[in-house]
Amino acid sequence: MTIDICTLATFDGPNRFDPRPGVLGRLRAGRDYSPALRAALKDAAQRIGLVIAAPHIDSRVADGEVWHEAFFVTPMPAIGAEMLRYVVALLNARDAGDEEWDADGRLWDLQKKRRAEALPIQALQLIAEASARRIPAFTRRDGLIQIGYGARGYTVDPALFHKSGSDLRPSDVGAGAPPFAPSPLSAAVPWDRLGSVPVVVISGSAPASIAGIFAAQVAARRDGTVSALSASFDAARACLTDPQAEMVILGLDSFDLLRRGLPVEHCLVSALIDLPDALVPEAGSRGDLARALGVALLVTAPGGRGILNADDPSILALADYAPCPLILIARSDHAALRAHRAAGGSVLFLRDQAVVVAHGWDETIIAPPPDLDPWQALVVEALHRACADVM
């Protein structure tokens, strides 16, 4: 029996497997190919010149078939996915005894693609320096390198590094005319003004409506608020590159988040409101889905806030991994909320269709606006409270 690729996902950002971009493949076969897959992946990566890390292959038997889940980290996930396809085709050709299968030719094609897409070494060094300074950086769809988010962002054209010489001019790098003198490479980048504007990430089955209400209310009193609703990975990244953005609010599309990962490296506030049932078969277990859609919690700043729906045990389980204080929300008071309050935490829940806001044992009762569903009003209030705590 051949190896069949049932799922192939390329993560361009943080995901439930790793905070770095990577590739996930779910494979079906008649026997355990784990050692062969691992060896073939490492050999192919070396011959292509593709950097991979943390290769991990799990296997399990179900209904007489062996299912493999292969994951590895790589800065070039699209080529990594093609490499996994190559490895599966190679192993199938070997099993079939197909001596005419052109392994070397396909590797050469992948190597050429890798070389064509590779950034110049100076650009990689610039991204590495940004990482060392804890400043987000990524390659945009237009090929430019984005350092920082929004109004605290900056752009660099990698084509500049292909020019003769290594000196950059202020007119070559960035948007606008920052006050610095001509200097080579990283010295030409105004690091002291770069970083991240406040980013709020909302995920779940219906983040668009809640994110829209929240974003409209914030924008009414805060200039420079940029938002994207039901945002794909690329739409979210576009918000992060907006030089006018002083605050970014993202309601993420669950399918895109599951398949491509998180579009931000870190955020100030994250919220996982609920889980969409329609995604469970593709995601795996409900716990797997919660970890996939709740990955923003893992990159929330230690001084930020995470919001979790305590009504869902799969979402509540993420509390153990939170790097920041949590605000728990629920449709009614229950044991998980009481335990969180006893520890001095903040919660919001509904009581007789009113929103109860509590920190420890102190309570404030808020009547929902007449134009909002009580649950929507509760979640929006939780988002406002989270932002007020950290901004």
Side-chain angles (χ1 to χ4, degrees):
M1 179 179 178
T2 60
I3 309 172
D4 296 320
I5 299 177
C6 299
T7 302
L8 187 57
T10 54
F11 299 117
D12 295 303
N15 52 83
R16 72 179 178 91
F17 299 96
D18 200 277
R20 297 165 292 181
V23 175
L24 169 69
R26 290 193 175 94
L27 318 174
R28 180 181 58 197
R31 61 181 177 85
D32 190 351
Y33 279 86
S34 298
L37 280 168
R38 190 175 292 106
L41 280 171
K42 290 181 178 179
D43 179 67
Q46 185 175 19
R47 296 179 67 183
I48 294 168
L50 181 68
V51 175
I52 68 171
H56 187 75
I57 300 174
D58 283 330
S59 61
R60 61 181 177 84
V61 178
D63 299 326
E65 297 176 322
V66 180
W67 290 82
H68 303 79
E69 185 173 83
F71 175 83
F72 56 89
V73 169
T74 177
M76 305 177 80
I79 292 180
E82 290 192 49
M83 183 183 73
L84 182 56
R85 290 192 186 96
Y86 161 82
V87 165
V88 168
L90 172 68
L91 295 179
N92 283 335
R94 286 178 180 174
D95 281 356
D98 185 355
E99 297 181 357
E100 295 182 1
W101 193 79
D102 186 9
D104 291 336
R106 300 188 188 200
L107 277 178
W108 175 244
D109 288 341
L110 287 174
Q111 188 182 95
K112 287 193 292 185
K113 287 185 178 181
R114 194 271 306 165
R115 287 176 174 171
E117 295 183 19
L119 290 172
I121 186 64
Q122 298 97 326
L124 294 174
Q125 290 171 337
L126 207 58
I127 293 174
E129 182 170 356
S131 178
R133 293 172 179 264
R134 298 185 181 278
I135 298 173
F138 59 89
T139 304
R140 302 170 10 161
R141 291 194 73 188
D142 58 10
L144 299 180
I145 297 172
Q146 177 76 22
I147 304 175
Y149 292 158
R152 298 192 64 194
Y154 207 61
T155 57
V156 179
D157 187 348
L160 298 172
F161 299 116
H162 292 295
K163 294 181 179 179
S164 59
S166 60
D167 288 349
L168 301 180
R169 300 167 299 173
S171 59
D172 286 335
V173 186
F180 60 86
S183 56
L185 301 175
S186 70
V189 178
W191 296 105
D192 58 342
R193 77 168 184 84
L194 303 186
S196 176
V197 298
V199 177
V200 178
V201 177
I202 305 167
S203 56
S205 64
S209 57
I210 290 172
I213 296 166
F214 174 67
Q217 292 177 357
V218 173
R221 59 176 183 259
R222 183 185 177 101
D223 293 336
T225 300
V226 175
S227 62
L229 311 180
S230 297
S232 66
F233 188 98
D234 294 327
R237 281 276 174 93
C239 285
L240 298 173
T241 64
D242 186 337
Q244 304 302 315
E246 298 285 350
M247 180 175 182
V248 175
I249 299 171
L250 301 173
L252 299 181
D253 177 82
S254 294
F255 283 94
D256 214 58
L257 178 55
L258 182 65
R259 292 165 179 160
R260 292 191 63 185
L262 190 69
V264 301
E265 291 181 27
H266 55 73
C267 59
L268 191 60
V269 173
S270 63
L272 180 54
I273 299 168
D274 48 24
L275 298 180
D277 292 332
L279 284 179
V280 171
E282 183 173 349
S285 69
R286 196 167 178 83
D288 290 339
L289 179 60
R291 288 188 290 274
L293 300 189
V295 69
L297 176 65
L298 303 182
V299 300
T300 303
R305 293 293 185 272
I307 300 171
L308 295 178
N309 183 345
D311 287 334
D312 191 316
S314 297
I315 295 177
L316 185 59
L318 300 180
D320 293 337
Y321 307 98
C324 61
L326 291 174
I327 297 175
L328 299 186
I329 59 175
R331 287 178 168 82
S332 63
D333 191 14
H334 54 69
L337 270 63
R338 292 191 289 272
H340 192 60
R341 296 176 69 178
S346 297
V347 305
L348 287 86
F349 60 92
L350 296 177
R351 179 190 291 155
D352 298 327
Q353 300 303 299
V355 177
V356 179
V357 181
H359 182 75
W361 299 114
D362 296 329
E363 293 186 355
T364 301
I365 309 298
I366 300 175
D371 58 334
L372 285 187
D373 171 89
W375 175 248
Q376 286 184 325
L378 182 151
V379 178
V380 170
E381 181 66 26
L383 289 164
H384 281 297
R385 297 271 171 164
C387 289
D389 285 346
V390 298
M391 293 173 59

